[in-house]
Amino acid sequence: MPSSHLRVLPFRPSVRLEGADDGAAGGHGVGAGTDPVSVGRRVRHHRRVADLTLAELGARVGLSASALSLLENGRREARVSVLGDLARALDLDLGELLSGGPPTRRSALEVRWERAQRSEGFQTLGIPQVRVGAGLPDDALEALVGLYESVVGLQQQRAATPEFARIANAELRRRMREADNYFPEIEGRAAELVRAIGHEGGVVSKADVNRIAEHIGFELRLVPDVPASTRSVTDLEHHRVYLPERGSHDARAAALQALGHVVLEHEPPRDYAEFLAQRVEINYFAAAVLVPEASAAPFLQQARAVKDIALEDLRDEYAVSYETAAHRFCNLATRHLDLPVHFMRTSADGVIYKAYENDGVRFPMDGTGAIEGARVCRAWTARVVFERPNGEIYAQYTDTGRGTFWCTAVAEQTPQGRFSVSVGVPFDQVRWMRGRDTRERRTSRCPDPRCCTRPPAALAREWDGKVWPSARAHSHLLAVLPPGVFPGVDDTEVLRFVATQEAAGNAIRDGAAQPHA
């Protein structure tokens, strides 16, 4: 898949004002609404227009030249009384020092550069500060400001705020829908590897996955201490993939996802959108290896011929999770069965974590078109299934404003909580699906709030003004993902881990090379 790109939000520099200093600031300062840097530049401009030195103007208002220099550089916040004295000494109204933009283009650039150097973003770059003196040309100063603001814009893009994440998700889902969630290049790479190891059908075993790794020159190692911020770590120098000994639901999938970065020739992601696209691609690759198109497509076509398509059969045939079977069905259904479909992974409280559709179903979404984080209607199969025991397959018809859809779903307990996986098709395609004879049927009028989000009138009247819930804050909705090439990964932890593994391996090899007594 081609990399997707996000728009860069306009840079808004963060201003950290220096603390008040005795003698020049304090409780009688000009106030939080006035920027000391801008005020200082206006004082300097008018002092120079009046052809006064720092010492001369300072003498008129009772300030030393050094104190006045700090004020002009925005490093001290002057009291209103001092600014009043300065205004009178410069034959100005006080308002001319307190309000308005920088008096010249040069002053504006100096203000922006001073703000930039005081921001926390500048500190993280690890570069020395540049003092702005009269000898620094305007074009050089403008280049410094422009470069810094561009760098910070890229940092913001990589930081993946919730807004960026939602835009990236919406764009990626659009591309998946346009391709009917089928990507021939990834299918081809997966099929080539399956053929290369001589796999002839059925379950792709752990031994098969090891052979795939060996075929592309890599070694899989299970270790107990993979960094907590990672699912796996790949040592590209020594061609090793480190995987956790426990914790992975399917070690085969985790290994194939790690190898997918190599097989698909991924470069370090340039932004969060590309990071997200790569995650989707390696998940697709892993599923395409575990459920090969060459055998899975005929398997599904045969089921369609007898009108008995069932995800649980695909799951059992290839010994994969129900979710992997659902993903794989959505990859192949439109391409090989001419079936439009939709898919959701939903938490027990109805929040969508993953979704895909090309069958016209209307998912709940926000103003950006993103659906992740939105809440599913209580009448949908994805929510109703939680009323059933874990692992029980549930099917239902749902009448919506976009038509009637049939869905099948399973809810299972995971380390992160209880989640459902649901797959559906439009009513006119249900004749191919096992479970179409279900008598379960519900009506959803969402997004009309009278459907399920607004309490029944009688209940609302009874408890009006008598209840105050304390909401559980979903901090991930507000938080920015940690910055870096791979968001959320502790780089120091990962590099120390790899270095430790290599050192341990060297010690073992050195010991084996010693002659025995």
Side-chain angles (χ1 to χ4, degrees):
M1 287 189 282
S3 301
S4 54
H5 299 280
L6 294 177
R7 62 186 178 89
V8 179
L9 293 179
F11 168 60
R12 297 180 179 86
S14 58
V15 180
R16 242 177 89 225
L17 301 182
E18 296 288 335
D21 203 278
D22 53 10
H28 299 88
V30 295
T34 305
D35 179 6
V37 179
S38 296
V39 171
R41 290 305 187 276
R42 284 192 285 272
V43 171
R44 175 184 292 173
H45 170 75
H46 289 293
R47 174 179 62 80
R48 289 175 175 172
V49 169
D51 197 23
L52 296 173
T53 65
L54 284 167
E56 289 170 343
L57 179 57
R60 293 187 183 186
V61 297
L63 289 177
S64 66
S66 60
L68 183 56
S69 176
L70 289 173
L71 188 152
E72 288 188 351
N73 286 317
R75 298 188 178 278
R76 283 193 177 178
E77 185 179 353
R79 295 175 178 174
V80 173
S81 58
V82 172
L83 289 175
D85 292 341
L86 286 168
R88 285 188 290 274
L90 295 168
D91 195 23
L92 301 169
D93 292 329
L94 179 58
E96 292 182 74
L97 295 183
L98 291 179
S99 62
T104 65
R105 171 64 178 165
R106 170 76 181 203
S107 296
L109 289 169
E110 290 179 357
V111 169
R112 288 164 67 187
W113 183 238
E114 186 66 29
R115 286 172 175 167
Q117 294 192 106
R118 294 188 189 188
S119 70
E120 293 182 2
F122 190 92
Q123 305 301 320
T124 63
L125 295 177
I127 59 177
Q129 294 198 352
V130 177
R131 184 178 177 275
V132 177
L136 184 66
D138 289 1
D139 56 353
L141 178 58
E142 188 159 12
L144 283 172
V145 172
L147 284 171
Y148 173 71
E149 293 181 355
S150 296
V151 167
V152 171
L154 291 173
Q155 283 183 327
Q156 290 179 334
Q157 188 171 6
R158 278 191 170 178
T161 61
E163 180 183 1
F164 274 124
R166 288 192 292 270
I167 292 171
N169 269 316
E171 171 62 17
L172 185 55
R173 196 174 64 255
R174 180 191 65 79
R175 288 167 42 210
M176 293 167 68
R177 184 169 55 247
E178 288 179 352
D180 288 327
N181 203 21
Y182 178 85
F183 296 94
E185 182 179 350
I186 301 178
E187 295 283 358
R189 298 285 183 92
E192 180 182 344
L193 287 173
V194 171
R195 287 194 300 270
I197 64 168
H199 180 75
E200 297 180 353
V203 175
V204 175
S205 66
K206 291 182 180 179
D208 290 330
V209 174
N210 273 300
R211 283 194 286 272
I212 288 174
E214 292 169 4
H215 180 75
I216 62 176
F218 276 76
E219 174 192 0
L220 302 179
R221 289 192 179 182
L222 297 177
V223 294
D225 54 348
V226 170
S229 62
T230 67
R231 297 190 295 182
S232 65
V233 175
T234 302
D235 179 350
L236 297 174
E237 175 69 18
H238 302 96
H239 287 203
R240 300 189 191 110
V241 176
Y242 296 102
L243 299 155
E245 288 181 341
R246 332 189 145 84
S248 175
H249 181 70
D250 188 341
R252 298 172 303 160
L256 288 168
Q257 288 162 1
L259 294 172
H261 287 299
V262 178
V263 174
L264 301 177
E265 301 176 349
H266 284 163
E267 298 288 339
R270 292 166 293 182
D271 52 39
Y272 181 71
E274 192 166 341
F275 168 78
L276 183 63
Q278 289 181 359
R279 286 287 296 270
V280 169
E281 289 176 4
I282 62 171
N283 289 338
Y284 191 115
F285 169 77
V289 171
L290 293 173
V291 186
E293 179 182 24
S295 59
F299 179 86
L300 290 171
Q301 287 167 341
Q302 183 177 356
R304 185 183 188 276
V306 295
K307 300 182 179 179
D308 193 33
I309 299 173
L311 298 186
E312 56 268 31
D313 289 351
L314 195 64
R315 173 197 63 190
D316 297 342
E317 178 73 11
Y318 293 94
V320 294
S321 68
Y322 191 88
E323 183 172 350
T324 296
H327 277 299
R328 201 64 183 123
F329 175 73
C330 291
N331 294 151
L332 303 174
T334 306
R335 175 80 172 201
H336 291 285
L337 308 177
D338 199 27
L339 271 177
V341 295
H342 67 267
F343 162 90
M344 279 190 295
R345 183 174 189 260
T346 308
S347 65
D349 56 357
V351 173
I352 299 175
Y353 278 68
K354 297 179 184 177
Y356 164 77
E357 57 79 22
N358 70 346
D359 63 352
V361 73
R362 177 190 173 90
F363 289 134
M365 63 181 63
D366 64 16
T368 68
I371 60 180
E372 290 76 12
R375 199 178 299 275
V376 176
C377 175
R378 295 176 189 274
W380 281 27
T381 311
R383 294 282 300 271
V384 179
V385 69
F386 289 108
E387 301 170 7
R388 303 298 195 272
N390 277 348
E392 180 180 305
I393 296 171
Y394 173 73
Q396 172 188 301
Y397 291 95
T398 308
D399 299 315
T400 77
R402 291 286 187 93
T404 298
F405 294 86
W406 173 92
C407 297
T408 182
V410 168
E412 295 179 323
Q413 188 67 37
T414 75
Q416 293 76 38
R418 202 171 176 216
F419 285 84
S420 73
V421 172
S422 61
V423 171
V425 298
F427 181 80
D428 61 0
Q429 300 292 336
V430 73
R431 61 188 179 278
W432 314 113
M433 311 301 295
R434 183 186 302 169
R436 61 186 178 275
D437 56 349
T438 180
R439 295 183 179 276
E440 298 286 348
R441 189 165 194 146
R442 305 208 179 188
T443 299
S444 170
R445 292 179 294 164
C446 282
D448 185 336
R450 293 171 296 179
C451 177
C452 70
T453 59
R454 184 180 299 169
L459 189 63
R461 284 194 301 270
E462 180 182 358
W463 291 98
D464 184 32
K466 300 175 183 178
V467 178
W468 187 288
S470 180
R472 184 185 298 276
H474 294 285
S475 58
H476 64 277
L477 297 178
L478 304 175
V480 174
L481 284 176
V485 176
F486 303 100
V489 171
D490 186 329
D491 294 336
T492 301
E493 183 184 29
V494 169
L495 296 183
R496 284 177 176 167
F497 164 80
V498 174
T500 300
Q501 293 293 329
E502 179 59 16
N506 288 338
I508 293 172
R509 287 189 292 273
D510 290 344
Q514 297 297 324
H516 294 288

